[in-house]
Amino acid sequence: MVDEEPERRRRRRQWIHPIVAQRYRKGQFHSLYKDLRQDPFKFRSYCRMSVEAFDNLLSLLHPHLTFMDTCMRRSISAEQRLIVTLRFLATGNSFASLHFEFLLGISTISGIVCHTCKVIWQHLREAVMPTPKAEDWLRIAEGFYQSAQFPNCIGALDGKHIRVKKPPHSGSRYFNYKQYFSVVLMALADSNYRFVIVDIGAYGSSSDSRIFSASRMGDRLRDNQLALPEPRRLPGSAGPPAPFVIVADEGFALSPHMMRPFPRRDLDNRKRIFNYRLTRARRYVECAFGILSTRWRVFLSSIQMNPDNATLVIQACVLLHNFTRINDASSDADIDQNITSSVIFDQSRTGRPGTAGLAVRDVYADYFCSPEGALSWQMEAIRGSR
């Protein structure tokens, strides 16, 4: 009889494992955290941010990471929840490894990491990555002009494949051209290596152009809903006003607000100079990705989570990247020095651009060859690209 079959539910052999029960005496948080706070260098190496930045972050998130004690057990403090999450993001260690470090259950650590990443995205986003307004675009454009000598540039756009484990029953949707499974982080970065707008979670098999076209960022750009400033003349030029543009590589479609390099074929000096100037501005997003991966080493190996939870991790890392760039600018100097991006010209992918985009690109190409917009070293720089 079905009613007489014994329940096959696994019974808990013990309420808490004896090793885990020693958490308050031997767990890494309780035995090491106070000592780390006394050594700023070691604390930064452990949490990937300074003590001051950590305290600032904790004060912002504390109300959302605090839970009530019960008659059954004490709750895990907001401080420990944040430390566990930062340690996971900083090392990419498995939950099983963190289990032996912090003496917390594996499922408990999994829940802490996912919940904390969600809280970071919900309550830190407005502070470190707000929706840009017209004055913000003007500030970003000034930064690109000062650092990369590319006027009217409101950001550098690119996509980064984040390695994840193969989701079950997903076929080849997450399998990318680099021969591994991934989700895509599509990001627009400024000249301070901070992310301005991001789109996260697209299939790894999709191209950059297709992801951008289907993203909310792409929709808002096409519909003129990004609050971009009105076109203005390029510095020192008496020509017509030029629109503000995003710089990208050959994987994106050319449009009035999206600049990509000239194709490889039939390159003259004018086109080579434009490609050189555009690539100097575009490298900022590549360097931002490099800094992101260097600081948060969870990106150096496959994220062993389903795509939804992996997206939470990526979202949290993007905001923490901006947070540390704002609050720990001096501590990023060593990381910035180790990030290099060569100016290369890979125009193997070409598409059929629109007429309006061609006209805007010609305006910038002519300006970069004019006395008002030329750089003294640009002719020397393009000699190696021939």
Side-chain angles (χ1 to χ4, degrees), residues 73-361:
R73 62 181 70 188
R74 292 163 58 184
S75 64
I76 300 171
S77 67
E79 223 167 1
Q80 185 172 3
R81 287 174 176 271
L82 187 54
I83 286 289
V84 169
T85 302
L86 292 178
R87 194 62 185 155
F88 169 73
L89 301 178
T91 64
N93 287 350
S94 66
F95 294 151
S97 296
L98 296 175
H99 158 68
F100 291 108
E101 294 175 12
F102 291 95
L103 301 185
L104 292 166
I106 294 177
S107 60
T108 301
I109 291 176
S110 174
I112 286 174
V113 169
C114 292
H115 175 260
T116 305
C117 288
K118 186 175 181 179
V119 167
I120 290 173
W121 180 252
Q122 291 176 340
H123 300 282
L124 194 62
R125 183 178 180 182
E126 192 59 35
V128 301
M129 198 174 65
T131 302
K133 300 180 176 62
E135 54 269 26
D136 298 318
W137 294 123
L138 290 173
R139 174 183 52 79
I140 293 171
E142 181 62 24
F144 272 103
Y145 183 61
Q146 295 297 328
S147 59
Q149 293 76 51
F150 198 111
N152 287 17
C153 177
I154 57 171
L157 180 69
D158 203 0
K160 177 178 176 60
H161 287 273
I162 308 297
R163 190 187 296 263
V164 297
K165 72 174 183 179
K166 181 184 182 301
H169 315 297
S170 61
S172 60
R173 285 177 295 178
Y174 291 92
F175 195 69
N176 64 33
Y177 71 97
K178 298 181 180 181
Q179 307 299 304
Y180 60 81
F181 295 93
S182 66
V183 295
V184 177
L185 163 61
M186 182 70 61
L188 183 72
D190 65 14
S191 61
N192 292 316
Y193 310 109
R194 294 201 292 258
F195 298 116
V196 181
I197 303 176
V198 296
D199 182 83
I200 303 170
Y203 296 139
S205 61
S206 301
S207 66
D208 285 347
S209 180
R210 181 177 180 182
I211 293 171
F212 180 76
S213 297
S215 69
R216 186 165 178 261
M217 186 192 335
D219 288 339
R220 294 174 63 193
L221 182 64
R222 283 192 301 271
D223 297 338
N224 294 320
Q225 295 179 352
L226 283 180
L228 298 182
E230 291 296 321
R232 67 179 182 184
R233 286 190 174 91
L234 300 178
S237 171
F244 286 80
V245 297
I246 294 170
V247 293
D249 62 17
E250 306 80 14
F252 296 87
L254 184 68
S255 72
H257 292 292
M258 180 76 71
M259 293 292 100
R260 53 172 279 175
F262 284 101
R264 183 188 298 270
R265 61 184 183 273
D266 301 327
L267 283 178
D268 54 20
N269 283 343
R270 170 177 167 274
K271 294 179 180 179
R272 291 180 189 276
I273 289 173
F274 174 85
N275 288 358
Y276 168 72
R277 298 287 292 272
L278 181 140
T279 308
R280 291 186 74 246
R282 183 176 59 82
R283 64 192 171 96
Y284 282 91
V285 67
E286 297 178 354
C287 292
F289 286 146
I291 296 171
L292 176 74
S293 299
T294 301
R295 181 181 292 278
W296 307 111
R297 298 185 179 180
V298 68
F299 295 125
L300 299 185
S301 60
S302 177
I303 300 178
Q304 298 299 304
M305 293 177 164
N306 64 53
D308 290 339
N309 288 337
T311 297
L312 289 176
V313 167
I314 300 168
Q315 289 174 337
C317 287
V318 165
L319 294 187
L320 290 173
H321 168 89
N322 280 11
F323 179 83
T324 53
R325 295 296 300 177
I326 295 170
N327 292 273
D328 266 352
S330 60
S331 69
D332 280 340
D334 293 338
I335 293 179
D336 293 352
Q337 292 174 1
N338 294 328
I339 301 299
T340 60
S341 178
S342 58
V343 180
I344 58 175
F345 306 100
D346 178 16
Q347 288 101 14
S348 57
R349 292 173 293 178
T350 60
R352 187 181 298 274
T355 304
L358 288 170
V360 173
R361 185 167 64 179

